[in-house]
Amino acid sequence: MYKVKVYVTLRESILDPQGKAITGGLHKLGFGEVQDVRIGKYIEMTLDGCACNSTDGKIAPTACKNVEERVKQMCAKLLANEVMEDFRYEIEEII
Amino acid sequence: MYKVKVYVTLRESILDPQGKAITGGLHKLGFGEVQDVRIGKYIEMTLDGCACNSTDGKIAPTACKNVEERVKQMCAKLLANEVMEDFRYEIEEII
């Protein structure tokens, strides 16, 4: 079993209107020290390690060797829009 | 100047329909090893350290002593809904 944390953030060059709105809100609440806010997504996933080696997604009996590769594919295919977003991830083995 | 990273996650007891939808999507794409997905927010803020000691949000001339307290207040007041969300943060001093 693996616990994966994925962080998806807007690329530097992309405007972040949601972050701008939050900056304004924080200023109005008296937090004038806030200079910039950028909003991203934080995704926590639990993966069954044994399934990672199968290409059809079914449980394979061998231990997982390529979790990182699979997580990268998940990010590229569904979790992040690589045109305007960057992603990074942390993989941690759990019992 | 401080760089603050805030992670806002749904409490364990709260259902996460967005996460469920992503789990389904990943299964359909062939990632059958995904057991659970939970979605949270990731917020990156840049704070002007000098302003943290003022109560009215204006720039104060003294160096910041209570950034952590201020960040906690920001989370409680605007960034997270404490009824259903938890938050944690990392504060890093930058030049």
Side-chain angles (χ1 to χ4, degrees), chain A residues 33 35 40 42 46 48 70, chain B residues 33 35 40 42 46 48 70:
Chain A
E33 70 266 39
Q35 294 202 323
Y42 169 62
T46 315
D48 183 347
R70 298 279 286 177
Chain B
E33 69 266 38
Q35 294 200 324
Y42 170 62
T46 314
D48 184 344
R70 297 281 286 176

Side-chain angles (χ1 to χ4, degrees), chain A residues 2-68:
Chain A
Y2 296 88
K3 183 159 190 170
V4 181
K5 294 173 184 175
V6 180
Y7 307 89
V8 181
T9 47
L10 276 177
R11 282 174 188 252
E12 281 299 319
S13 53
I14 306 283
L15 282 177
D16 182 0
Q18 200 186 353
K20 285 273 169 289
I22 290 185
T23 309
L26 287 170
H27 283 177
K28 278 190 191 142
L29 288 171
F31 299 104
E33 70 266 39
V34 179
Q35 294 202 323
D36 188 42
V37 179
R38 289 184 78 82
I39 310 289
K41 277 176 286 183
Y42 169 62
I43 303 165
E44 273 184 2
M45 298 194 287
T46 315
L47 303 190
D48 183 347
C50 298
C52 301
N53 276 331
S54 66
T55 48
D56 57 358
K58 288 186 191 136
I59 304 289
T62 51
C64 181
K65 291 274 188 294
N66 55 357
V67 187
E68 189 175 340

